[in-house]
Amino acid sequence: MLVALPSAIAFGVTIYSVLGAQYGAQGAVAGILGTVALGLLAPLFGGTNRLISAPCAPAAAVLGAFAIDHMSRGGSPELGLLLLALMGLMAGGLQLLMGALSLGRLIKYMPYPVVSGYLSGVGMIIIASQLPRFLGLPKGTGFWGALGSPEMWRWQGMVVGGATIAVMLTAPKITKKVPAPVLGLAAGIATYLTLGLADPALLTLEGNKFVVGALGGGEGGGLIEAFSDRWNALGQLGFNALRDLVLPALTLAVLLSIDTLKTCVVLDALTRTRHDSNRELLGQGLGNLAAAALGGVPGAGTMGATLVNMSSGATTKLSGLVEGIAALIAFVLLANLISWVPVASLSGILLVIGVRMIDWHSLGFLKHRATVLDFAVIAAVIACALTISLIVASGVGVVLAVLLFIREQVHGSVVRAIVSGDQTFSKRVRVQAERDILTEKGGQTAIVELQGSLFFGTTSQLYHALEADLKRRKYLILDMRRVQAVDITAAHMLDQIKDMLGERGGMLIFSRIPKHVPSGKDMEDYFDQVGLVRSSHKVRAFAELNEAMEWVEDQLIAEAALAHNDEIPLELFEIELFAARKRETLAELEVQMEKRHVAAGEVIFSIGDHGDELYLIRKGSVRIVLPVGQGQIHHLATFGRGAFFGEMAFLDGEARSANAVAFSDVDLYVLSRQQFDAFTDSHKKIALNMMEGLASVLAARLRYTNAELRALQA
């Protein structure tokens, strides 16, 4: 309370003094009432432990700027009082709406340059508004006018304000038990009373412009009179006045919410807790509604008071409630003392707050080329806040931050890798003749791995990256696994690529289209809605990249006239491993083999099984998969017609190292090691040739794997 209350009084005096010097006392009351209302209601309904809510600098800046604008247009002080209260009510209501719509998490993601520039702008506005008060100049004197009129400076105010600032800055170095604003305010009051010994006029409360003035009476100072002024101003309220409140109220609601949630995030980090953003917005909204209804200044969860509260040993939301009760007690018991608070002392407190609000760290962004544009956003927000309005500053900042984001996305590559189809192959293990075809014809295929966001800003970059491949490739496989977003512009460009490939008899192929992207969009459904993957001979989509590559390889092999009738089982002499061997000898070997049929989906062997059989595929295909836990499997390879598998256990006699599952109905030749060894006693040459064939095929597979690894590294 001791940290929050002096600042709240200063903020209130700053806002209300714009309406007339006689309203300064009412401003002090408004600051206290805002502290009480927020302290009593925000902790009860918000529920963030240790959080202290009170009037804050953003509220003072927005309300003060609105009051200045209102008076400059010839508005009456009474209507100004009513409009300030209505703005507080609207801001509190908007915060309730934000909480009800679960917008709390979104507000936390306001770009840092915007927040930095906005708070720095608010700090500078506070400095500009308080310097004339610090110098003791008449109402209406601006910042530059104050600097250019040293003959009008009042030394009494400067001495009091200087003493306040000096104590505020030096007190933390001496003691942290008593908050610096309290010591600074005490020093200001003591200095003022000391000056009063030499000038008795300073010790007179009535008509004294150096102090806040009587809180319970005097022109514009009483609570009853304040409510009466607002009630009488209802007759001056019109549609135009209410319309002019909407944007400032929205700005105020957003700023107060950002200030609160920023404090909550810091509190979470320090205490290893987690606050409920939406619930806290509801609590803050109720607190600000109550503050405005009482004629108080709205506020937010404040960083300084919250950190003092935490370091003092607070652990629950009860501490926030105690702060509100303590502020109410202080108002009742210390009203007479508050009347003697020097305006220059409050200005000194606000000048220190304003200087501390400026993000001096952001100047470091000028040292690095990568962050210069971020500093430009901060500078633009500050310039708009100082020259136009805080509302415009927030809009400009968000727009510039979005443009910077788009620029970053545009300059980042959306193409992660492009690999030619003659450098990388599917996991289907093929016979040598098919491998030769794929080595020769695989260059007709390009596998493109995309990443990031495909939107209007990166569409041109993507097209230029693919342009060379579109001219010489027949099949273009786009791996979408790392894509996070696709907009209609990118979808239209992909549709044009599909048509370009189709005109040359080619095809666009998608693989691993994300079911859900970070935005929550179902990308598969979106592609179907825009007509990108609907039934067409120009486009296909596969769930896995390997499936897409395997399909393209089958097309290339078919085009090379090597396609075969997969429905007819191979004879032993047609299998690559036994090519050019005598049929008579192979017939004797076939007697030693078991012919086995396995239905699609059945397990042929499992990891850890003991068995030494070699399997030769006569028809169908077999997948080798590796269990990786939690019901997931990793696809290692696919073996098709004419290939063999199980050779590792056949050669070393160890347990199986993976699972073999029939991908389709499979016909097999099965040769156990015992049968093979028995056969070699009388047919040593063919046995030797078979082992040499196994070694040759395995070596060829290894060479292809090495080539793929080199291509991927490149």
Side-chain angles (χ1 to χ4, degrees):
M1 185 275 289
L2 291 175
V3 176
L5 199 59
S7 300
I9 293 171
F11 291 138
V13 172
T14 296
I15 297 167
Y16 281 70
S17 293
V18 174
L19 303 176
Q22 68 273 23
Y23 289 96
Q26 191 177 131
V29 174
I32 297 171
L33 292 177
T35 305
V36 172
L38 282 163
L40 294 177
L41 292 179
L44 285 178
F45 296 97
T48 301
N49 291 332
R50 308 177 181 87
L51 184 68
I52 297 296
S53 299
C56 57
V62 175
L63 293 170
F66 179 82
I68 291 172
D69 183 60
H70 170 74
M71 296 302 290
S72 67
R73 290 182 297 181
S76 68
E78 294 78 15
L79 180 60
L81 288 173
L82 177 60
L83 292 177
L84 289 175
L86 288 177
M87 188 189 299
L89 288 171
M90 291 175 68
L94 287 169
Q95 284 187 298
L96 284 176
L97 183 61
M98 291 176 187
L101 296 178
S102 300
L103 299 180
R105 295 180 181 179
L106 296 180
I107 294 176
K108 290 191 296 183
Y109 299 124
M110 183 69 70
Y112 168 72
V114 178
V115 176
S116 172
Y118 205 107
L119 294 180
S120 295
V122 169
M124 292 180 183
I125 290 173
I126 289 175
I127 293 171
S129 66
Q130 294 307 307
L131 188 64
R133 299 178 186 278
F134 175 84
L135 298 175
L137 296 174
K139 177 198 169 201
T141 307
F143 176 78
W144 298 111
L147 292 180
S149 307
E151 69 280 358
M152 300 175 62
W153 294 356
R154 303 290 295 274
W155 65 272
Q156 295 94 332
M158 295 170 60
V159 170
V160 172
T164 302
I165 293 174
V167 172
M168 275 193 72
L169 295 178
T170 57
K173 300 177 182 178
I174 301 172
T175 178
K176 294 184 179 180
K177 292 183 179 181
V178 182
V182 174
L183 293 176
L185 185 59
I189 294 174
T191 303
Y192 179 81
L193 295 176
T194 301
L195 293 176
L197 297 177
D199 185 359
L202 296 177
L203 300 179
T204 302
L205 195 60
E206 185 176 354
N208 189 346
K209 295 183 180 180
F210 281 102
V211 296
V212 169
L215 302 187
E219 186 183 358
L223 284 174
I224 297 177
E225 185 177 345
F227 282 106
S228 176
D229 287 343
R230 291 179 177 84
W231 179 260
N232 294 332
L234 283 173
Q236 305 176 38
L237 191 63
F239 174 77
N240 290 336
L242 289 174
R243 181 194 59 194
D244 293 341
L245 279 178
V246 175
L247 281 179
L250 178 60
T251 302
L252 181 60
V254 172
L255 277 180
L256 296 180
S257 301
I258 290 174
D259 212 28
T260 297
L261 298 183
K262 181 182 67 174
T263 303
C264 289
V265 169
V266 172
L267 199 57
D268 286 348
L270 293 175
T271 59
R272 298 179 182 177
T273 56
R274 188 173 184 178
H275 75 281
D276 185 334
S277 299
N278 297 315
R279 181 181 174 185
E280 191 55 50
L281 284 184
L282 293 174
Q284 294 291 321
L286 288 171
N288 282 323
L289 281 174
L294 292 173
V297 178
T302 57
M303 185 75 72
T306 297
L307 294 180
V308 170
N309 188 43
M310 183 193 71
S311 62
S312 299
T315 58
T316 70
K317 62 182 181 181
L318 182 62
S319 57
L321 190 63
V322 171
E323 179 257 353
I325 296 172
L328 180 60
I329 295 172
F331 175 50
V332 173
L333 298 181
L334 304 178
N336 292 332
L337 179 59
I338 293 173
S339 300
W340 286 99
V341 171
V343 173
S345 185
L346 296 178
S347 297
I349 293 174
L350 290 181
L351 284 172
V352 174
I353 292 174
V355 171
R356 288 175 176 172
M357 285 187 71
I358 298 173
D359 187 4
W360 301 103
H361 171 72
S362 64
L363 293 174
F365 293 167
L366 288 170
K367 299 178 182 178
H368 308 286
R369 186 176 180 181
T371 54
V372 167
L373 290 178
D374 294 297
F375 181 82
V377 173
I378 296 174
V381 173
I382 293 174
C384 289
L386 296 178
T387 59
I388 306 176
S389 72
L390 288 168
I391 302 167
V392 173
S394 61
V396 168
V398 171
V399 169
L400 290 177
V402 170
L403 290 177
L404 276 186
F405 172 77
I406 293 175
R407 176 182 178 274
E408 190 70 23
Q409 292 293 314
V410 169
H411 283 77
S413 177
V414 293
V415 176
R416 190 168 187 263
I418 300 179
V419 183
S420 178
D422 56 0
Q423 296 177 316
T424 187
F425 305 93
S426 72
K427 294 179 180 179
R428 187 180 182 97
V429 179
R430 301 182 181 275
V431 297
Q432 186 61 47
E434 292 177 338
R435 290 199 296 269
D436 292 340
I437 289 295
L438 296 180
T439 302
E440 180 183 352
K441 303 293 186 181
Q444 297 181 33
T445 307
I447 300 96
V448 183
E449 187 177 1
L450 302 179
Q451 64 182 1
S453 299
L454 307 182
F455 69 113
F456 63 89
T458 56
T459 298
S460 177
Q461 177 205 131
L462 176 59
Y463 179 80
H464 287 301
L466 301 179
E467 189 173 13
D469 291 291
L470 290 175
K471 294 178 180 178
R472 61 191 183 94
R473 311 281 192 182
K474 186 174 181 180
Y475 299 100
L476 185 65
I477 301 175
L478 299 182
D479 184 12
M480 309 289 288
R481 181 167 67 99
R482 288 185 169 86
V483 172
Q484 296 180 334
V486 179
D487 73 354
I488 192 65
T489 304
H492 177 66
M493 188 271 293
L494 293 174
D495 193 59
Q496 290 180 313
I497 290 177
K498 176 188 71 175
D499 292 338
M500 292 172 61
L501 290 168
E503 289 172 0
R504 296 190 292 103
M507 186 171 291
L508 177 63
I509 300 161
F510 293 102
S511 74
R512 299 193 282 191
I513 300 175
K515 183 69 175 173
H516 298 290
V517 292
S519 65
K521 181 188 290 185
D522 185 334
M523 195 61 66
E524 291 182 357
D525 185 57
Y526 179 71
F527 273 25
D528 181 67
Q529 290 174 7
V530 298
L532 197 53
V533 293
R534 291 177 187 165
S535 296
S536 170
H537 65 282
K538 300 176 183 178
V539 64
R540 287 185 68 97
F542 293 89
E544 294 294 333
L545 176 60
N546 182 72
E547 293 177 9
M549 296 172 65
E550 187 174 323
W551 183 86
V552 171
E553 290 173 355
D554 288 340
Q555 305 308 304
L556 294 175
I557 292 170
E559 291 167 7
L562 281 182
H564 41 67
N565 189 348
D566 289 336
E567 296 302 318
I568 302 175
L570 294 175
E571 297 299 331
L572 191 59
F573 65 87
E574 295 178 291
I575 293 177
E576 181 185 34
L577 185 59
F578 301 105
R581 306 301 173 198
K582 291 181 180 181
R583 293 195 180 186
E584 296 81 3
T585 308
L586 291 178
E588 295 181 36
L589 177 60
E590 188 173 356
V591 173
Q592 305 296 322
M593 294 182 174
E594 172 194 353
K595 290 183 179 178
R596 184 183 302 176
H597 177 80
V598 183
E602 289 188 11
V603 177
I604 299 171
F605 58 73
S606 299
I607 186 171
D609 287 352
H610 290 283
D612 56 10
E613 295 90 354
L614 176 69
Y615 297 87
L616 299 102
I617 303 176
R618 304 180 66 207
K619 185 186 78 170
S621 60
V622 175
R623 278 194 169 182
I624 307 299
V625 297
L626 186 67
V628 292
Q630 299 181 344
Q632 301 294 314
I633 60 172
H634 176 63
H635 179 200
L636 294 175
T638 299
F639 293 87
R641 189 170 179 263
F644 60 84
F645 64 95
E647 71 281 353
M648 292 176 63
F650 181 80
L651 293 173
D652 62 19
E654 298 293 332
R656 301 292 184 182
S657 58
N659 296 347
V661 182
F663 186 64
S664 61
D665 288 347
V666 180
D667 286 338
L668 302 168
Y669 281 124
V670 183
L671 177 64
S672 69
R673 185 57 187 261
Q674 182 180 2
Q675 291 169 322
F676 174 74
D677 290 340
F679 179 74
T680 58
D681 290 338
S682 55
H683 300 84
K684 289 185 172 53
K685 184 175 181 180
I686 190 172
L688 183 61
N689 289 336
M690 178 179 161
M691 286 296 191
E692 185 180 346
L694 282 174
S696 178
V697 172
L698 293 176
R701 292 178 187 175
L702 185 58
R703 287 184 182 277
Y704 276 91
T705 301
N706 290 340
E708 284 188 272
L709 291 174
R710 286 195 297 271
L712 291 173
Q713 281 188 328

